[in-house]
Amino acid sequence: MAVTAVIGLQWGDEAKGKIVDLLTDRHDIVVRYLGGNNAGHTVKFGGQTYKLSLLPAGVLRPEMTSVISNGVVINPKALLGEMASITSRGIPIAQNLKISDRAHVIFPYHVAEEAVYEKSRGENKIGTTGRGIGTCYRDKAGRTHAIRVGDLIRPDQLRRRLEEIVPQKNILFSALDPTVKFDVDEIYNEYETYADQLRSHVIDTTTFLHKALKSGKSMLFEGAQGSLLDIDHGTFPYVTSSNSSGCGIHPGSGVPERAINKMIGVVKAYTTRAGGGPCPTELVNEIGEHIRTEGHEFGTVTGRPRRCGWFDVVATGYGARVSGVDCIAVMLLDVLSKLDEVKICEAYEIDGERTTDFPSQIEDLAKAKPIYRTLPGWKTDITGVRKLADFPKAARAYIDNLAELLDLPVSIVSIGPDREQTVFIEGMW
Ligand code: IMO
Ligand code: MG
């Protein structure tokens, strides 16, 4: 397992955290390469549950190196809060955490700007996590108003950049929302203390990763969000603001895709979506409610109830192709155990035409009617299963149908949150 990547193939929340945790001890370095504190990764480790947002799951094992690479947008207050919460639970964070000097920094005006833009869309709001992620990436793409970690840790540079940027942001707010105004000194004083606490972790992580590859170190790329939330390939504009499919690894870390030996696509055994945008298989009925309750489908970051529905092969298969995964990990299969029958969407009907192509335009996706393959439920507790052969026939059929329809082998089936509640498929590891 030299270089492995774990990528969500749906709209995020696929339980990537559990897969990353299962694989961390087989690797030397864990890299978080995109997104920010919009992500919520739950990791059960040593009998404890940790909720990570910005920190790579590797930090729970101090003997490993964890890297936050250039593609991440960092809210330093959130990052330091997370680091404090981990260290207060007895896990030291020292030189085992590396932060890229190329990563961009989230400031309070990013959060305020996002609130204004979201409000302006009324009913059609993106439904973001409200963390200033998109507005920080917007400034990154715009370049003129961006501050990177490399600037943050140089006091003179930080002050100079804030003096250039904050007055212009205030002009913007005077038109968009006059109740909002920021003060250079206040932001500088606050961020200078963050810089002091983070400085010792900051390096050029791109060069660090290149050297690590050259010396034969193994690496695990920890995806955040999911392929259908990818800014270029997802359900635009109801997406996040970075390349959250497998495409994002290279720009987000500087490690080329050809260095990756194994790309694991993580899927839930059903569909969830947080935030706005069409979701063809969403169930606004008691089955959707049942899945939400059984799967505890409430946002880790925002607490919002997630929209739930049947597994969607058209959407997930597209996510898998964009990401270029080798195999899939099927998560939360146990959540479906009480249902009489289970359905898999194998095609859409759009304007009377059957298609298995995922639409590029949101208006077409909104019209898509799912065409289902219906299978019998297994109506048995499967949380104790440890071998593929021990699944009830109907559960096995469900797994086989997913593999057949996605045209990908299954490498892991997860039937509960604990590490032991994992079936590793023989021959895949
Ligand atoms: P993990 O890593 C699920 C969604 C938001 C919203 C859209 C844009 O836990 O899978 P943003 O704040 O990123 O600008 O919001 O993207 N979103 C996620 N949904 N899991 C996530 O991360 C998400 N990160 C962003 O709900 O619809
Ligand atoms: Mg999430």
Side-chain angles (χ1 to χ4, degrees):
M1 287 217 138
V3 183
T4 314
V6 174
I7 308 289
L9 299 188
Q10 295 156 320
W11 280 287
D13 304 323
E14 298 93 347
K16 298 176 287 292
K18 172 169 171 174
I19 298 299
V20 170
D21 176 55
L22 284 170
L23 300 177
T24 36
D25 57 6
R26 305 182 187 196
H27 295 86
D28 302 310
I29 301 171
V30 182
V31 187
R32 172 71 191 276
Y33 59 92
L34 82 154
N37 58 328
N38 49 350
H41 298 169
T42 306
V43 180
K44 290 213 166 196
F45 177 68
Q48 304 259 345
T49 302
Y50 298 89
K51 296 207 183 286
L52 302 172
S53 195
L54 262 165
L55 287 172
V59 292
L60 301 177
R61 298 165 203 260
E63 70 282 6
M64 302 186 60
T65 303
S66 290
V67 172
I68 298 178
S69 63
N70 61 283
V72 177
V73 286
I74 298 178
N75 179 324
K77 186 180 182 182
L79 176 59
L80 286 162
E82 228 179 295
M83 287 165 70
S85 114
I86 299 293
T87 48
S88 75
R89 292 172 73 179
I91 301 176
I93 300 180
Q95 285 317 298
N96 56 325
L97 175 67
K98 312 277 183 207
I99 301 170
S100 170
D101 56 0
R102 289 186 178 91
H104 283 248
V105 182
I106 297 179
F107 285 88
Y109 46 78
H110 288 127
V111 178
E113 257 180 277
E114 182 172 316
V116 170
Y117 295 134
E118 274 286 81
K119 202 166 154 217
S120 76
R121 283 182 63 94
E123 292 260 289
N124 296 321
K125 66 177 189 211
I126 311 285
T128 68
T129 58
R131 301 292 193 271
I133 307 290
T135 36
C136 183
Y137 277 119
R138 172 191 292 219
D139 279 344
K140 170 179 172 175
R143 291 147 297 153
T144 50
H145 289 50
I147 297 181
R148 307 202 295 182
V149 170
D151 305 312
L152 174 74
I153 59 165
R154 290 175 181 82
D156 293 347
Q157 211 152 308
L158 175 63
R159 178 167 275 287
R160 184 173 57 76
R161 294 298 288 133
L162 286 171
E163 279 169 358
E164 288 163 358
I165 294 166
V166 174
Q168 296 190 34
K169 293 284 180 188
N170 281 338
I171 294 173
L172 197 72
F173 284 115
S174 67
L176 294 173
D177 181 357
T179 64
V180 181
K181 192 166 191 275
F182 291 97
D183 180 71
V184 173
D185 287 333
E186 216 172 283
I187 298 182
Y188 175 80
N189 292 336
E190 182 186 340
Y191 275 66
E192 202 205 0
T193 65
Y194 301 151
D196 285 342
Q197 295 167 77
L198 293 174
R199 193 171 284 109
S200 66
H201 299 282
V202 177
I203 59 164
D204 172 353
T205 57
T206 308
T207 299
F208 174 83
L209 293 174
H210 290 165
K211 286 184 179 165
L213 277 177
K214 195 146 190 221
S215 66
K217 291 262 195 312
S218 56
M219 263 172 222
L220 177 65
F221 286 91
E222 174 179 353
Q225 289 86 50
S227 301
L228 303 174
L229 290 171
D230 186 288
I231 180 84
D232 283 290
H233 304 288
T235 48
F236 194 88
Y238 298 96
V239 291
T240 191
S241 29
S242 58
N243 286 117
S244 53
S245 67
C247 306
I249 297 174
H250 192 176
S253 69
V255 173
E257 209 182 296
R258 64 163 182 235
I260 299 167
N261 310 101
K262 194 180 183 87
M263 187 89 106
I264 303 170
V266 188
V267 302
K268 251 177 204 169
Y270 46 93
T271 298
T272 63
R273 179 156 206 188
C279 180
T281 62
E282 182 178 6
L283 296 165
V284 191
N285 60 18
E286 68 284 4
I287 299 177
E289 196 62 53
H290 172 81
I291 294 174
R292 186 174 307 115
T293 311
E294 292 288 309
H296 311 288
E297 293 295 354
F298 297 87
T300 325
V301 175
T302 57
R304 293 178 294 184
R306 295 179 186 139
R307 301 152 66 193
C308 299
W310 297 119
F311 192 93
D312 184 340
V313 168
V314 183
T316 312
Y318 168 76
R321 287 188 294 278
V322 165
S323 288
V325 299
D326 303 299
C327 58
I328 52 168
V330 179
M331 312 304 288
L332 293 131
L333 185 64
D334 53 301
V335 169
L336 304 181
S337 291
K338 292 182 187 155
L339 295 166
D340 294 328
E341 54 180 32
V342 283
K343 296 188 185 201
I344 302 173
C345 166
E346 56 178 347
Y348 294 157
E349 190 197 301
I350 301 177
D351 295 332
E353 300 260 346
R354 182 190 166 104
T355 181
T356 52
D357 295 339
F358 190 67
S360 55
Q361 302 303 308
I362 207 77
E363 296 76 15
D364 295 330
L365 185 64
K367 285 190 281 188
K369 293 194 195 85
I371 299 171
Y372 287 116
R373 183 181 282 195
T374 302
L375 302 169
W378 42 96
K379 307 277 277 175
T380 317
D381 180 358
I382 54 170
T383 56
V385 173
R386 297 294 174 264
K387 290 204 303 285
L388 189 62
D390 295 342
F391 275 113
K393 219 171 124 214
R396 179 66 194 267
Y398 187 73
I399 299 165
D400 291 346
N401 271 272
L402 292 185
E404 177 218 311
L405 287 165
L406 291 170
D407 195 18
L408 280 166
V410 175
S411 57
I412 290 179
V413 181
S414 174
I415 30 60
D418 292 328
R419 292 189 119 208
E420 300 70 42
Q421 292 175 306
T422 311
V423 177
F424 284 92
I425 309 299
E426 266 175 54
M428 292 300 298
W429 298 95

